[in-house]
Amino acid sequence: MRFLLVEDNHELAEGIVQRLALDGHAVDHAATLSEAEDCLAVADYDLILLDVMLPDGDGRDFLARSRDRLTTPVIVLTARSQISDRVGALDQGADDYITKPFDFSELEARCRAVLRRRGGAARNEIALGAALFDPTAGTLRHGGATLDLRNRELRLLEVFARNPGQILSKSQLLDRLFSQDADVTENAIEVYVGRLRKKLDGAGVRIETVRGLGYRMST
């Protein structure tokens, strides 16, 4: 998954980016609302983590202004613990909020919950043919075996699982797996797709190549 983090505290931002990267997420960091607008103009995101007090404005005002055109789920990061502040953030379009200081494990859990709700899933497991994919545990179960997925494999399979039957270009997949400053080529996608195909063998689901266009998961 690709996230946008809008946070002006660089130490906190670095910690969040590193923690989410361990889970295989690509995270672009913007320190101001202006930088966030620039990021949103050139990339699509699965989730936005939005601080409230930023150098060039209030994140909640930005959210209220943008909600009509912005369909990406948003978690507000706030140091304000008053109920009215939290209710206000939700009323202005936030999908969830978390109060600073927070534990990174709670932030990860809230990210997973928001993404599940947005995808219409109540449970962690996703059925893929005869296989059961658990993005939280990072496992794929089929044929009586449980296979562990590496971080990039995990996130790539999650993208396919949440877009069944849709053709996804290598460029789109790169955008989902890597941040803007990552030095990678489309060959990396071919490597990860090859690994997933081996792990999905016999599960009744496949990742097929659509010549000249990209890849598609089908059963």
Side-chain angles (χ1 to χ4, degrees), residues 102-121:
F102 51 77
D103 188 271
F104 285 138
S105 60
E106 180 185 359
L107 177 62
E108 291 170 322
R110 288 182 180 273
C111 291
R112 290 193 298 267
V114 167
L115 290 171
R116 282 200 306 273
R117 291 199 299 269
R118 181 53 61 100

Side-chain angles (χ1 to χ4, degrees), residues 134-153:
D134 188 335
T136 302
T139 58
L140 182 70
R141 294 191 291 119
H142 68 92
T146 299
L147 307 176
D148 292 323
L149 299 171
R150 297 181 180 180
N151 285 342
R152 298 297 184 193
E153 297 170 357

Side-chain angles (χ1 to χ4, degrees), residues 7-56:
E7 169 62 62
D8 65 327
N9 183 318
H10 288 276
E11 183 177 353
L12 175 59
E14 184 178 356
I16 293 174
V17 169
Q18 291 178 352
R19 182 61 179 257
L20 293 175
L22 289 175
D23 283 340
H25 298 296
V27 185
D28 292 330
H29 173 223
T32 65
L33 294 175
S34 177
E35 291 178 10
E37 289 278 17
D38 291 340
C39 290
L40 290 167
V42 298
D44 294 322
Y45 294 96
D46 299 289
L47 182 65
I48 297 172
L49 303 174
L50 178 64
D51 189 22
V52 170
M53 301 306 295
L54 292 156
D56 56 346

Side-chain angles (χ1 to χ4, degrees), residues 68-84:
D68 287 344
R69 62 179 173 84
L70 187 65
T71 60
T72 308
V74 175
I75 297 178
V76 167
L77 313 178
T78 176
R80 299 176 176 179
S81 59
Q82 295 294 323
I83 292 178
S84 59

Side-chain angles (χ1 to χ4, degrees), residues 141-216:
R141 294 191 291 119
H142 68 92
T146 299
L147 307 176
D148 292 323
L149 299 171
R150 297 181 180 180
N151 285 342
R152 298 297 184 193
E153 297 170 357
L154 166 62
R155 297 311 165 197
L156 181 58
L157 183 55
E158 190 172 9
V159 172
F160 281 121
R162 299 192 186 284
N163 297 276
Q166 181 176 335
I167 298 174
L168 300 168
S169 69
K170 291 180 181 178
S171 177
Q172 287 176 310
L173 295 173
L174 277 176
D175 283 344
R176 286 291 182 270
L177 295 184
F178 298 96
S179 59
Q180 290 180 357
D181 57 357
D183 184 18
V184 293
T185 68
E186 292 184 352
N187 290 337
I189 298 300
E190 296 177 7
V191 171
Y192 292 124
V193 166
R195 292 177 182 174
L196 285 180
R197 281 172 169 164
K198 291 179 180 179
K199 293 186 175 182
L200 288 167
D201 186 36
V205 63
R206 66 185 184 277
I207 300 173
E208 58 180 335
T209 300
V210 182
R211 189 175 298 276
L213 297 176
Y215 300 100
R216 174 174 56 203

